[in-house]
Amino acid sequence: MSSPIVLATWSFGTIATAQGWKTLQAGGAALDAVEQACVAVEADPQVNSVGFGGTPDRDGRVSLDGCIMLSPAQRGAVCFIREQMHPVSIARQVMEQTDHVLLAGQGADDFADAQGFPKAELLTDEAVERWRELKAKQAAGESAQQVNREEATAKGIAATPSTTTSTELSEDEPPHDTVGVLALDADGQLAGACSTSGLPLKIPGRVGDSPIIGQGLYVHPQHGAAVATGTGELVMGVCGSFLAVEEMRRGAAPADAIAVALQRIRESYDIQPDHQVGMIALTPDGQWAHAALVEGYRTAIRSVDRDDLIECDTLISA
Ligand code: ASP
């Protein structure tokens, strides 16, 4: 028997951990916990970087990416879907009902239709308004991520690191980012999932790390699981989540494993002020760690004795 735990990225991760914990606490499987955790965030229009109400691309349309994973042989993903609210549930169907790993674009939307998922309008009035503001700022010469980070900084996101038990949505985080969820169930089974609308104002068709197995998420039942959030392009050149799990396979503790992945990102790119990557790693025996490139990243945790949102003070600096 293992002691169940669920971890999720960012303040809105508290929505995910609350839902995931319900499943785990009832003796449910980690796979169901991570799926339901993501579904809860995807359905919440207040979370403006995931699912319904996600931030539009350059041309004002929302597209979603997501994946789910149990093991190298059991994983599924969808990307660039525009007609469905729950990419992780569709990804699970890809995993369980097909011989494929990743379905993209209209093919993925059509697959979801065929599986009986209801079509959904993803764009909200608030998202349109946010898109207009971002476009105006971008036209004034700032990158979308730069605008996001500046707004966050102005609102005090870089305030003193602290541990909080708040389950309120934080309003001082950038309007982007993935919900990445890792869970361990009572049977010792690990699972992971992630879901995102991707970078704000992305070029239509752009797909980031989140639905790509080994980039935004990797799970090995014996060695551990890792998930990433932030600037997907940085994660994608180093196979970030795979690298972290591979380090754990070689014996590294979770903290050291994600430090290696984030250090590799530091070494591989000219990191810009608007860049961020946060990672979580979890082992089959329940050890976990988080780290980020720069301050402002948070992890939500739920276990038998914890219900916290933790400011990440493990920063991998140059
Ligand atoms: N990693 C996601 C992407 O690049 C977005 C994010 O987590 O901020 O699409």
Side-chain angles (χ1 to χ4, degrees), residues 238-275:
V238 305
C239 296
S241 294
F242 176 80
L243 178 57
V245 175
E246 184 63 9
E247 287 296 311
M248 291 192 279
R249 188 184 72 81
R250 292 180 178 151
D256 296 329
I258 49 178
V260 166
L262 290 170
Q263 194 59 48
R264 187 73 58 85
I265 287 171
R266 277 259 174 226
E267 291 163 9
S268 305
Y269 302 99
D270 180 17
I271 301 296
Q272 300 298 306
D274 58 337
H275 285 158

Side-chain angles (χ1 to χ4, degrees), residues 191-248:
C194 44
S195 183
T196 188
S197 58
L199 297 184
L201 306 192
K202 62 192 177 184
I203 295 172
R206 177 268 186 192
V207 171
D209 59 321
S210 303
I212 310 298
I213 299 299
Q215 305 287 358
L217 176 71
Y218 198 73
V219 180
H220 191 289
Q222 277 82 50
H223 305 311
V227 70
T229 180
T231 318
E233 281 72 6
L234 301 180
V235 179
M236 295 175 83
V238 305
C239 296
S241 294
F242 176 80
L243 178 57
V245 175
E246 184 63 9
E247 287 296 311
M248 291 192 279

Side-chain angles (χ1 to χ4, degrees), residues 134-155:
L134 287 170
K135 290 288 273 191
K137 288 183 175 173
Q138 194 180 47
E142 296 181 64
S143 78
Q145 280 195 297
Q146 193 178 348
V147 171
N148 294 337
R149 284 200 65 77
E150 283 171 4
E151 286 176 353
T153 304
K155 289 175 183 167

